[in-house]
């Protein structure tokens, strides 16, 4: 994959995430109805949404970092050990900053 193709792929992913994020924000913005029997379900639902929002934001931040690495031409290299990231891993997770070995260490 060329850098340009990778950049497009990352931008498409980012647009998707931003769309998802505004949908989550809209859902969370909906006021809780204190008299609703579904209140507990709503609260649980909000917790799930809040978690999803956190994940989406983290992913967007990772994508921005990956786009920055593309610009600096360090993309595809592990930020920790500087070895090339496995192609298979990059295809599955194009915005990952770490190779398989370092990702295991980071957990
Ligand atoms: Zn590494």
């Amino acid at each position: 994959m060329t850098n340009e193709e990778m950049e497009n792929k990352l931008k498409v992913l980012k647009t998707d995430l931003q769309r998802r994020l505004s949908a989550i924000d809209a859902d969370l913005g909906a006021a809780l109805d204190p008299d609703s029997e579904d209140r507990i379900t709503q609260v649980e639902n909000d917790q799930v949404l809040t978690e999803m929002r956190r994940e989406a934001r983290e992913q967007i931040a990772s994508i921005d970092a990956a786009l920055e690495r593309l610009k600096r031409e360090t993309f595809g290299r592990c930020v920790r050990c500087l070895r090339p990231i496995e192609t298979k891993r990059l295809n599955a997770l194009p915005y990952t900053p770490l190779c398989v070995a370092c990702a295991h260490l980071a957990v």
Side-chain angles (χ1 to χ4, degrees), residues 77-86 97-103 105:
R77 256 173 212 286
C78 175
V79 297
R80 189 177 283 202
C81 68
L82 300 179
R83 278 193 289 254
I85 299 173
E86 298 77 1
L98 298 172
C99 70
V100 172
C102 291
L105 285 176

Side-chain angles (χ1 to χ4, degrees), residues 6-23:
M6 187 49 89
E7 189 179 341
N8 286 335
K9 187 173 177 174
L10 286 167
K11 282 181 175 166
V12 168
L13 271 173
K14 189 178 165 181
T15 310
D16 269 3
L17 281 165
Q18 281 169 333
R19 209 173 292 147
R20 203 185 306 167
L21 207 52
S22 24

Side-chain angles (χ1 to χ4, degrees), residues 1 6 9-10 13 62-63 66-67 69 75-76 85 88-97:
M1 200 182 289
M6 187 49 89
K9 187 173 177 174
L10 286 167
L13 271 173
S62 301
I63 290 172
L67 287 167
R69 289 197 299 278
F75 183 84
I85 299 173
K88 209 176 139 193
R89 178 164 168 81
L90 273 182
N91 285 337
L93 216 62
Y95 47 84
T96 183

